[in-house]
Amino acid sequence: NAGVTQTPKFQVLKTGQSMTLQCAQDMNHNSMYWYRQDPGMGLRLIYYSASEGTTDKGEVPNGYNVSRLNKREFSLRLESAAPSQTSVYFCASTSTGGRQFSYEQYFGPGTRLTVT
Amino acid sequence: QKEVEQDPGPLSVPEGAIVSLNCTYSNSAFQYFMWYRQYSRKGPELLMYTYSSGNKEDGRFTAQVDKSSKYISLFIRDSQPSDSATYLCAMPMIYNQGGKLIFGQGTELSVKP
């Protein structure tokens, strides 16, 4: 099992450029999340998808869009990158519902994005 | 006021020290309390979790919850250089809103040999 994979690992963009961050999980999880992590700010939720076919805004959605392509894949798109979007982006997944503890989120290795 | 507050540190201790990491929270409805560990340039991983009040021990790690004070702690005994990481507390949103978690800012810990 690869767990949660993210591509690319690093990216440098110029202001105004667009890009898509890819995320995939092979654990048959129904919920997936995109976070950004900045120094001193912890993890902030950008968007999440509670199940295939649904997406919802998190704490900091402005400037981002998402697509839940299927149960495995959840992508994050920056349409017009800004320097304020320089951050480390993490994708995570979990299996909600059921009787076992269902709050453990499994994280990918992150994408380090710099916008100049 | 953030729902979950955590001192970002950094915290530097000598090997063998007892480490105390803490979070406060404002929502008395929180029932689960989680600690994630994040090594440098890696994604966070769940270290342990507790339900409601009390203590939970796992090896050198003890998680403690004081719901009356809305205060949670993670203690590390006999700290090792391999414990050097950022530790984040997290709590599930009430009513399991899509499994969302609220994270503290994270405390960066360095254990010096």
Side-chain angles (χ1 to χ4, degrees), chain B residues 11-79:
Chain B
L11 183 62
S12 182
V13 302
E15 183 175 354
I18 296 174
V19 176
S20 172
L21 304 166
N22 310 296
C23 286
T24 58
Y25 62 95
S26 58
N27 191 334
S28 58
F30 288 143
Q31 295 281 10
Y32 285 95
F33 305 91
M34 308 163 76
W35 286 97
Y36 278 79
R37 179 173 60 194
Q38 183 178 20
Y39 290 116
S40 180
R41 307 184 85 78
K42 301 285 188 187
E45 292 180 307
L46 182 65
L47 182 60
M48 58 195 303
Y49 72 91
T50 54
Y51 175 72
S52 195
S53 284
N55 291 2
K56 184 174 183 179
E57 192 172 313
D58 183 1
R60 295 183 295 108
F61 297 87
T62 300
Q64 192 172 78
V65 175
D66 181 349
K67 292 196 77 176
S68 62
S69 302
K70 298 193 186 74
Y71 189 87
I72 67 170
S73 300
L74 178 70
F75 297 98
I76 308 174
R77 290 189 305 279
D78 187 25
S79 56

